[in-house]
Amino acid sequence: MEKKDIKKLWRFYTIADYEREESFLNEMARAGWNLTAVGFCRYIFRRGNAGEFIYKLDMVERTESDEVKESYFNFLTDCGIRVVGEFKDWIYLQKRASDGPFDTKNNTYAKLRQVNKIYSFSLRTVCNLLRIFVAIMLVLVLLQVLMSNNAGVMDFCNGVIYSLGISSLIALAIIWVPIINKLRRKVNKLIEDIGVNL
Amino acid sequence: MNTTNNALTEAVYYILLALVDPMHGYGIMQQTATLSKGRVRLSAGTLYGALASLLDKGWIEQLPEEGRKKDYRITLAGREVLEQELLRLSELLENGRNTLNNQNE
């Protein structure tokens, strides 16, 4: 494979921007660049026939057992779908365009299923991060209580609690609040489209 | 028995319909596309999730495996659900037709 037939691009998409990420991959495929591997913000394409493949993102949580994953992957293979990349909890699906689309265009149920999966995953992630945060803070407070006669330890714990603790909490909020909000709006919009509220 | 008493989604309806004959996953997708003349296309993810929950409800069953592909078939309970759904759909259809035809006369 010659070097000019390989293209490596950097792109950043948050978990809430999976639709934009899908569009990006499909645009590349239409221009003849087929996704072959995925890493952190990194996409590797190989030159191929323009419009031969279409792409879609799916989520399979890392916490799922190997059997569940294997059974799902086998099922996808049977459906003519190849998993071309895996990154964290995402899998990148490739299908021949001539075999038809991944699902009905504008299928609200399918979209809701996908975004709900991502939304609950994001909420769980934030809860887990908060749990870790609380655990670390509790350890530090406990340490302060136990070592209250040691000024060095007191200062260290105070420093960590006030600087690192607060800044990581702020970082958590800045990163995750917009993502959760965006996903929640998507979920609500789709629920409205289905007509549950009618 | 359809215990939830809800309308079936198009996906579930077509899956159950396809499984009147034993079939594997990809067959269900093709059958659905054919029956609906390409209007309804089940995504692999949708179908995989739906098959799992239909198995769970006992509306379909898995046949003994031959090779790697898994075959499924509708159960008696599944047939019952499908028949209930047909009754519901005929009611909708009949009322719709009657109302609109009366208005046109």
Side-chain angles (χ1 to χ4, degrees):
Chain A
M1 188 57 63
E2 283 185 53
K3 215 176 176 184
K4 67 180 172 61
D5 288 331
I6 300 281
K7 194 180 257 193
K8 295 174 183 171
L9 293 179
W10 298 88
R11 285 284 186 287
F12 177 71
Y13 296 103
T14 69
I15 193 166
D17 287 329
Y18 62 95
E19 279 167 322
R20 278 179 46 222
E21 191 174 353
E22 280 176 356
S23 308
F24 161 63
L25 299 175
N26 282 312
E27 266 165 41
M28 290 298 288
R30 272 198 293 279
W33 289 101
N34 297 324
L35 184 73
T36 56
V38 186
F40 178 67
C41 296
R42 197 147 170 73
Y43 301 84
I44 300 176
F45 301 90
R46 179 170 292 171
R47 194 193 292 278
N49 299 327
E52 186 179 357
F53 295 110
I54 50 174
Y55 294 87
K56 193 175 169 67
L57 266 71
D58 194 0
M59 184 175 262
V60 177
E61 293 188 24
R62 276 171 292 179
T63 47
E64 290 284 10
S65 70
D66 287 343
E67 286 146 46
V68 170
K69 271 190 193 164
E70 200 192 316
S71 142
Y72 187 46
F73 282 25
N74 282 340
F75 188 82
L76 291 173
T77 311
D78 291 344
C79 297
I81 293 169
R82 219 158 70 86
V83 179
V84 287
E86 278 184 66
F87 180 70
K88 294 203 167 187
D89 304 83
W90 287 113
I91 56 173
Y92 291 75
L93 308 181
Q94 181 195 57
K95 192 174 190 233
R96 283 190 183 282
S98 55
D99 289 346
F102 280 98
D103 53 39
T104 321
K105 206 168 178 263
N106 297 325
N107 182 337
T108 315
Y109 283 98
K111 278 187 188 170
L112 183 59
R113 212 171 292 117
Q114 186 187 30
V115 70
N116 189 40
K117 223 183 202 182
I118 297 163
Y119 182 48
S120 5
F121 170 79
S122 304
L123 283 179
R124 271 203 305 285
T125 306
V126 172
C127 288
N128 287 338
L129 287 172
L130 280 175
R131 258 186 222 128
I132 294 169
F133 177 82
V134 169
I136 292 173
M137 288 299 128
L138 279 178
V139 168
L140 287 171
V141 169
L142 200 68
L143 207 61
Q144 270 190 321
V145 173
L146 293 176
M147 310 284 278
S148 50
N149 49 2
N150 185 327
V153 172
M154 286 291 277
D155 283 350
F156 171 77
C157 289
N158 271 331
V160 174
I161 290 173
Y162 289 111
S163 59
L164 217 62
I166 290 176
S167 53
S168 56
L169 202 59
I170 290 172
L172 190 74
I174 289 178
I175 294 170
W176 281 100
V177 168
I179 291 177
I180 298 279
N181 276 335
K182 200 168 184 177
L183 288 168
R184 202 191 53 233
R185 278 197 299 273
K186 278 190 192 192
V187 170
N188 286 342
K189 169 82 175 51
L190 288 168
I191 287 177
E192 214 167 277
D193 287 351
I194 282 176
V196 171
N197 298 333
L198 290 181
Chain B
M1 260 290 275
N2 186 354
T3 44
T4 50
N5 203 26
N6 279 335
L8 301 182
T9 61
E10 285 188 335
V12 168
Y13 183 76
Y14 272 121
I15 292 169
L16 289 177
L17 215 51
L19 288 179
V20 169
D21 295 320
M23 210 171 270
H24 55 78
Y26 189 56
I28 300 171
M29 290 171 98
Q30 286 175 317
Q31 178 81 348
T32 301
T34 312
L35 283 176
S36 68
K37 299 188 177 68
R39 190 180 60 81
V40 180
R41 282 180 190 279
L42 302 173
S43 71
T46 302
L47 181 56
Y48 189 79
L51 286 175
S53 74
L54 289 176
L55 280 172
D56 213 40
K57 289 183 179 200
W59 294 359
I60 63 169
E61 61 191 351
Q62 203 175 307
L63 298 179
E65 258 172 270
E66 290 171 26
R68 201 166 56 84
K69 283 188 180 177
K70 290 174 182 158
D71 273 336
Y72 303 89
R73 184 174 56 193
I74 195 166
T75 60
L76 276 176
R79 265 194 125 86
E80 182 90 358
V81 171
L82 210 47
E83 272 158 25
Q84 289 293 324
E85 180 67 359
L86 277 182
L87 284 179
R88 195 186 66 85
L89 290 172
S90 341
E91 178 210 291
L92 290 178
L93 206 59
E94 200 183 316
N95 284 331
R97 282 203 177 125
N98 287 344
T99 310
L100 290 182
N101 287 346
N102 286 341
Q103 207 182 30
N104 290 342
E105 270 166 20

